[in-house]
Amino acid sequence: VELDEWYFEKLTKEIAKRDPKHMTSAELVKLVDWKLTRGKFRPRLLDFAKAHSAATVRDATAAAITLFPTAGIADLDDKHAGALVPLVALKGIGPATASAVLAAAFPSAVPFMSDEVMAVALPPSSSSDAYSTPRLLALAEAVRAKAANVGMTAGEVERAVYSEAALTKKPKAAPKVVPKKAQPSKPTKAAAEGEAEAETEAETEAETEAE
């Protein structure tokens, strides 16, 4: 919840205050951390994000935001593709993470490339093509069209789809625990010696009684 509030409510405002508009290295790490809460956990992505210098992140995000159109949607897909280039050039940053950067800067035009919104907006795709740039462009186009029909922004549509999916998602069944068969415990050395002594005494008594 805290990361959602930061991403949706605060990050966009922080980016807008800067000239040129950009993200800091700390914000990129936090954004990747937020992204990992929305899908499969891949801790290596966080390590890659932490490895980028402040200057590298500032320059790449500033270039991406500058390349994106600030008014109208003419040739938006071409601009969108160009804006992805400096972001995906960073190690560990693919189209999905790049979409999160652009969605923070331009929430009205760019949806985050979440699994949930792709499931309802795009046809199934092979695993190798699932998070490609062409898929992101197709997703952005489909979500913008839907947003225009329902009077929402692209970011709001993605968030609504994700929230609905989270509410209806069935929890994973707990793994069955198969109890292990009880193994007879091995007697300790002291116990074994005690049993041997008892057996010896019993045998001695029996032999005495027989005599």
Side-chain angles (χ1 to χ4, degrees):
V1 175
E2 183 179 344
L3 282 174
D4 277 345
E5 182 181 351
W6 169 79
Y7 180 79
F8 292 114
E9 306 297 335
K10 298 178 181 179
L11 181 57
T12 301
K13 295 176 182 178
E14 290 300 317
I15 293 172
K17 290 178 184 177
R18 299 167 186 148
D19 185 19
K21 295 179 175 62
H22 65 275
M23 285 178 58
T24 66
S25 56
E27 286 170 342
L28 179 65
V29 171
K30 198 169 182 178
L31 178 144
V32 172
D33 196 15
W34 169 83
K35 176 182 175 290
L36 294 178
T37 67
R38 291 289 215 93
K40 186 176 180 180
F41 187 70
R42 297 180 176 89
R44 288 273 303 189
L45 295 183
L46 205 54
D47 293 336
F48 288 140
K50 291 176 180 178
H52 295 303
S53 69
T56 296
V57 173
R58 182 188 63 243
D59 293 347
T61 56
I65 292 170
T66 300
L67 287 168
F68 200 86
T70 55
I73 58 171
D75 300 323
L76 190 55
D77 285 345
D78 290 339
K79 294 285 187 179
H80 197 157
L84 292 171
V85 173
L87 296 174
V88 298
L90 300 178
K91 187 173 183 179
I93 305 297
T97 305
S99 75
V101 173
L102 292 179
F106 305 102
S108 62
V110 185
F112 168 56
M113 194 179 191
S114 65
D115 293 333
E116 290 76 13
V117 77
M118 284 196 294
V120 300
L122 298 177
S125 177
S126 64
S127 58
S128 61
D129 185 53
Y131 300 98
S132 64
T133 293
R135 288 270 290 175
L136 173 55
L137 297 181
L139 176 70
E141 182 179 2
V143 173
R144 282 195 296 268
K146 181 65 175 179
N149 289 336
V150 298
M152 299 169 69
T153 66
E156 288 169 344
V157 169
E158 187 281 325
R159 194 173 179 182
V161 171
Y162 177 83
S163 298
E164 178 64 21
L167 288 173
T168 57
K169 188 175 183 179
K170 294 182 179 179
K172 292 182 179 179
K176 292 183 179 180
V177 178
V178 180
K180 294 182 179 179
K181 292 183 179 179
Q183 298 292 332
S185 57
K186 294 182 178 179
T188 63
K189 182 178 180 181
E193 290 175 349
E195 290 176 0
E197 290 176 1
E199 289 174 357
T200 301
E201 289 176 359
E203 290 173 356
T204 302
E205 289 176 359
E207 289 173 355
T208 303
E209 289 175 0
E211 291 175 354

